[in-house]
Amino acid sequence: MVEDESCQWSSLPSDLIHFISTKLPDLSDRVRLRAVCKTWRSSISISDPSPRLPWLLTRTYNMDGNEEILYYSLSSQKTYKIYCPHLKDASFRGTFGGSIVFYRYPRSVFLFNPLTRLEISVSLSPPKYFDAIEVASNPFRKEFAVVLGCTQDSTCAISFGFIKPDDGLWVIHESGLVNNWCDCVYYEGKYYINEYGAETRIMSATTGEVVSTIPSPDQTGFNKIECQYMLETCGEILLIYRHKIAGKMKQYVFDIYRLDEARGDYQWVKIRGIGDRMLFLNSTGGFSVSASDFPGFRGNCIYFQAADLPSHNYMLLRQHDLENGTTKILPNFWGGCGTWIIPNFG
């Protein structure tokens, strides 16, 4: 009887097996499905472009002092380990496609795929000195843009650079900003630069010209801003302020603004929700996916990390429901500040 059942499972039509695999939201589930037998492995492509849930990556060190990358799966609500001892002296700077962008002092930038272990060096020609680099691109986009923090003559000026993987050419511009930049988003040939407590500038990525300056949203009467994010999602630029409710350690309020162009002028317009989207916030920016692609998940939600107390060096993963204003802690994640990635084998 057991033999017959085994034959039946291995004899399932290839198109049916493939269809089942497309309903798995987590890439690790698809890998396990491929391991069942040769027939299933040949029927399921690990490079299938169907939607998949992001993983939250953070890093730690084992007892031997070797580097470990932890990834948290929303699907299984479990944390797994990837051993990467050679990355000990490099730091997370964001994600691009299915790779992590790493920066190694003093001038090395490279992409690393945590699944395939493939490492790709990124050709970089910044000004003579620089001490920081941040990714400014939506990980779903084809153009890889970064922000370079440069130090020259005891002043800290900010430069911007973007690269198209097809031609490998960098275009770098000085921004004129000194020591007060906050978030930057690159989208369709423009940088959207939001300064701490100041306006948002829109700068051409080809000429470096500032084409528009937008006043910051009025936050009078709100709780103190605990964190600020700016990101591009579905062709829209969003600015998000996170407030913590006084006296309540685990409750938060999010104010979301969409950059709107009305009669030729840009302005920040407050919106109440994000519809079907699930927002995944990194330390400053983030991205979104459609909840309708993942059965069992709700839209109009924000996933983010926050510590209960400023003195804590660990971050808890939380889900905030914009519809009812509640925040809950997701189980089985315990780590430092991480970054979201869409895993793939490409």
Side-chain angles (χ1 to χ4, degrees):
M1 181 68 178
V2 174
E3 236 179 76
D4 291 341
E5 287 181 353
S6 177
C7 290
Q8 289 174 2
W9 280 110
S10 62
S11 301
L12 286 174
S14 295
D15 56 347
L16 178 58
I17 299 172
H18 176 74
F19 175 77
I20 293 172
S21 73
T22 62
K23 300 301 178 181
L24 299 175
D26 196 307
L27 185 61
S28 57
D29 294 331
R30 189 172 302 181
V31 172
R32 284 191 285 268
L33 201 64
R34 281 171 48 89
V36 171
C37 62
K38 290 182 179 180
T39 303
W40 287 27
R41 183 160 53 251
S42 63
S43 303
I44 302 170
S45 171
I46 55 177
S47 60
D48 190 283
S50 58
R52 56 190 57 142
L53 285 168
W55 291 348
L56 179 62
L57 299 184
T58 186
R59 57 199 306 184
T60 185
Y61 299 94
N62 60 23
M63 297 294 291
D64 298 325
N66 291 324
E67 173 81 7
E68 295 177 343
I69 293 179
L70 305 181
Y71 76 84
Y72 179 84
S73 164
L74 283 176
S75 177
S76 65
Q77 293 191 331
K78 293 181 180 179
T79 302
Y80 305 89
K81 291 182 180 180
I82 302 173
Y83 295 95
C84 304
H86 69 291
L87 299 176
K88 185 176 181 179
D89 60 343
S91 57
F92 278 161
R93 293 302 182 181
T95 61
F96 176 61
S99 296
I100 311 167
V101 179
F102 276 98
Y103 168 62
R104 182 180 282 124
Y105 182 84
R107 300 174 69 83
S108 174
V109 179
F110 59 95
L111 307 179
F112 176 77
N113 188 313
L115 296 179
T116 64
R117 308 299 178 92
L118 178 64
E119 188 173 313
I120 301 174
S121 178
V122 177
S123 177
L124 185 61
S125 299
K128 186 175 180 181
Y129 305 104
F130 75 104
D131 58 10
I133 180 171
E134 298 290 344
V135 176
S137 298
N138 185 319
F140 293 104
R141 303 297 177 189
K142 293 183 178 180
E143 291 178 320
F144 169 34
V146 301
V147 182
L148 307 171
C150 306
T151 302
Q152 294 180 335
D153 300 329
S154 301
T155 65
C156 184
I158 307 304
S159 296
F160 300 90
F162 75 93
I163 184 171
K164 296 182 179 181
D166 293 339
D167 57 29
L169 298 177
W170 280 90
V171 178
I172 294 179
H173 292 291
E174 298 289 341
S175 70
L177 302 179
V178 178
N179 243 354
N180 64 339
W181 65 285
C182 177
D183 302 327
C184 178
V185 170
Y186 173 81
Y187 178 59
E188 291 192 338
K190 296 185 180 69
Y191 291 110
Y192 298 82
I193 308 158
N194 184 260
E195 302 177 62
Y196 280 115
E199 68 269 0
T200 301
R201 299 184 186 187
I202 302 178
M203 187 174 79
S204 168
T206 54
T207 67
E209 177 188 3
V210 175
V211 297
S212 186
T213 302
I214 305 103
S216 61
D218 183 13
Q219 291 292 293
T220 305
F222 287 93
N223 295 315
K224 182 180 178 181
I225 297 174
E226 185 179 57
C227 200
Q228 176 179 308
Y229 315 85
M230 191 166 65
L231 57 107
E232 180 267 321
T233 169
C234 299
E236 295 181 332
I237 307 297
L238 300 183
L239 179 63
I240 302 173
Y241 295 120
R242 189 182 86 204
H243 310 273
K244 200 169 188 179
I245 299 178
K248 297 184 179 181
M249 292 181 61
K250 300 178 182 179
Q251 292 302 313
Y252 296 84
V253 173
F254 285 84
D255 294 316
I256 305 177
Y257 297 85
R258 174 175 56 83
L259 191 60
D260 182 63
E261 185 178 14
R263 297 184 299 276
D265 293 327
Y266 287 97
Q267 59 182 334
W268 290 111
V269 177
K270 190 172 184 178
I271 59 177
R272 293 187 175 183
I274 53 176
D276 179 56
R277 285 176 283 182
M278 303 158 60
L279 282 182
F280 296 89
L281 301 180
N282 293 315
S283 57
T284 55
F287 58 88
S288 73
V289 300
S290 173
S292 59
D293 290 329
F294 307 102
F297 286 85
R298 296 183 56 188
N300 210 22
C301 288
I302 297 176
Y303 293 83
F304 69 104
Q305 287 182 273
D308 280 341
L309 296 173
S311 59
H312 289 176
N313 58 6
Y314 60 85
M315 310 287 279
L316 297 177
L317 179 59
R318 305 165 195 260
Q319 179 202 55
H320 182 81
D321 190 319
L322 289 168
E323 183 175 348
N324 56 35
T326 59
T327 305
K328 68 178 183 180
I329 296 175
L330 298 185
N332 302 321
F333 177 84
W334 190 273
C337 185
T339 186
W340 292 99
I341 188 173
I342 303 294
N344 66 52
F345 283 86

